[in-house]
């Protein structure tokens, strides 16, 4: 059996001996090495935690940016101005939209959503729905609306938010000086508005004048007046220019 003997020196060195070997052990240095190891280990752990923290913060920032960029669905917002500013005097106009191959519930829902989007701060459009038959409806504007809003209405009724249906929609009106998106070919004429069956842009209406000049009216800036080599549909007159008469009428606001 080996006999070990050790003796401590004031400096923190220990003299250790086993058999014929003598050596000094610096326990202060050992403690410093251990402390250094612990420091390095803790630093590595801290760096890993900081890295995870930075990743989490980055993901939160990305999520906030994505949420802020997501368009708001105003079609469910039923905010309206005070009824005191509702118009009371009807304005003579010949705007009429014929909607076919749709249910009453879908048409009412689509019109309500349109009003939710456009009438929050002022009454831009006040559509009057007339039920002609179970699957056939007419929409007029007793208090009138501007040409661009009318185009938006035709488009929205074709592509309403959260409503899946495939209606046939044709609209008519007479254009005039002062209307937006007019050209010499389209101003002061009777026009027909529609969405063609093969439309893939979803943000436009097509227009045919009563002398069969065709335009694509895009809603993006610079695309409002694109003349077509041939009209997408030949102009036809509406069945009647008088106020439609049906089973039921519903005024929206």
């Amino acid at each position: 059996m080996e006999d070990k003997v050790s003796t401590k020196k004031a400096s923190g060195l220990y003299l250790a001996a086993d058999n014929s070997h003598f050596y000094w052990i610096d326990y202060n240095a050992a403690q410093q090495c251990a402390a250094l190891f612990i420091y390095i280990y803790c630093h590595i752990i801290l760096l890993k935690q900081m890295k995870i923290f930075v990743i989490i913060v980055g993901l939160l920032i990305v999520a906030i940016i994505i949420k802020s960029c997501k368009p708001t669905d105003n079609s469910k917002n039923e905010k309206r101005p005070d009824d005191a500013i509702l118009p009371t005097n009807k304005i003579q106009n010949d705007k009429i939209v014929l909607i076919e191959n749709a249910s009453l519930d879908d048409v009412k829902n689509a019109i309500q959503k349109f009003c939710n989007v456009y009438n929050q701060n002022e009454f831009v459009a006040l559509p009057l729905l007339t039920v002609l038959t179970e699957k056939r409806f007419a929409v007029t504007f007793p208090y009138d609306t501007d040409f661009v809003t009318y185009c938006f209405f035709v488009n929205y009724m074709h592509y309403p938010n959260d409503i899946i249906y495939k209606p046939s929609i044709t609209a008519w009106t007479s254009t005039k000086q002062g209307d937006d998106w007019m050209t010499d070919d389209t101003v002061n004429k009777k026009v027909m508005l529609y969405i063609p069956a093969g439309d893939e842009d979803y943000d436009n209406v097509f227009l045919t004048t009563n002398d069969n000049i065709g335009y694509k009216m895009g809603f993006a800036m610079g695309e409002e007046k694109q003349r077509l080599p041939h009209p997408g549909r030949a102009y036809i007159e509406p069945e009647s220019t008088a106020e439609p008469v049906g089973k039921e009428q519903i005024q929206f606001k």
Side-chain angles (χ1 to χ4, degrees):
M1 180 179 294
E2 295 181 349
D3 295 328
K4 294 185 178 180
V5 180
S6 64
T7 182
K8 185 176 180 181
K9 201 174 183 180
S11 62
L13 293 176
Y14 285 81
L15 178 63
D18 55 7
N19 295 336
S20 59
H21 300 89
F22 293 87
Y23 49 88
W24 291 101
I25 299 176
D26 190 343
Y27 278 93
N28 287 340
Q31 290 174 349
Q32 291 173 1
C33 287
L36 179 61
F37 173 80
I38 294 172
Y39 170 79
I40 293 174
Y41 176 79
C42 292
H43 192 64
I44 292 172
I45 297 298
L46 181 61
L47 287 175
K48 288 182 178 180
Q49 291 176 343
M50 289 181 64
K51 184 177 180 180
I52 294 172
F53 176 76
V54 169
I55 292 173
I56 293 174
V57 171
L59 291 174
L60 288 174
I61 292 173
V62 170
I64 292 171
I65 292 173
I66 291 174
K67 185 176 180 180
S68 64
C69 292
K70 185 178 180 181
T72 303
D73 182 8
N74 287 324
S75 65
K76 299 177 182 178
N77 188 341
E78 297 185 359
K79 174 190 172 185
R80 294 293 187 277
D82 193 286
D83 284 350
I85 67 172
L86 273 168
T88 55
N89 297 322
K90 294 183 178 181
I91 300 174
Q92 183 67 35
N93 68 89
D94 61 353
K95 292 181 175 69
I96 183 169
V97 183
L98 180 63
I99 304 172
E100 299 175 292
N101 191 35
S103 70
L104 175 58
D105 285 343
D106 283 342
V107 172
K108 288 168 57 178
N109 195 11
I111 295 175
Q112 188 62 64
K113 285 175 176 287
F114 175 86
C115 292
N116 288 347
V117 173
Y118 288 92
N119 288 347
Q120 291 185 26
N121 299 316
E122 58 180 313
F123 294 111
V124 175
L126 298 170
L128 175 65
L129 173 66
T130 300
V131 180
L132 303 175
T133 67
E134 184 180 356
K135 295 285 186 179
R136 202 162 180 263
F137 312 90
V139 180
T140 53
F141 294 82
Y143 305 97
D144 206 4
T145 189
D146 63 273
F147 178 75
V148 172
T149 301
Y150 189 56
C151 290
F152 290 160
F153 179 82
V154 174
N155 176 274
Y156 193 92
M157 292 304 296
H158 205 280
Y159 301 118
N161 287 357
D162 300 326
I163 301 174
I164 301 174
Y165 73 160
K166 294 182 179 180
S168 172
I169 300 177
T170 309
W172 292 267
T173 188
S174 295
T175 61
K176 60 184 183 296
Q177 291 286 348
D179 287 342
D180 289 331
W181 301 354
M182 290 295 101
T183 68
D184 292 339
D185 294 328
T186 58
V187 70
N188 294 324
K189 290 183 180 181
K190 293 181 178 180
V191 299
M192 181 179 76
L193 302 172
Y194 60 95
I195 306 289
D199 178 54
E200 295 181 350
D201 293 333
Y202 308 109
D203 63 345
N204 57 72
V205 295
F206 282 66
L207 176 150
T208 302
T209 64
N210 58 341
D211 53 353
N212 281 308
I213 297 173
Y215 273 83
K216 178 181 178 181
M217 320 292 281
F219 297 162
M221 186 174 294
E223 297 184 1
E224 303 92 342
K225 300 171 284 188
Q226 304 173 58
R227 180 161 179 173
L228 304 172
H230 305 285
R233 284 174 54 184
Y235 181 87
I236 57 173
E237 290 284 349
E239 295 178 4
S240 174
T241 56
E243 183 174 330
V245 178
K247 299 179 179 179
E248 179 185 1
Q249 287 191 320
I250 305 171
Q251 179 67 66
F252 290 83
K253 66 177 183 178

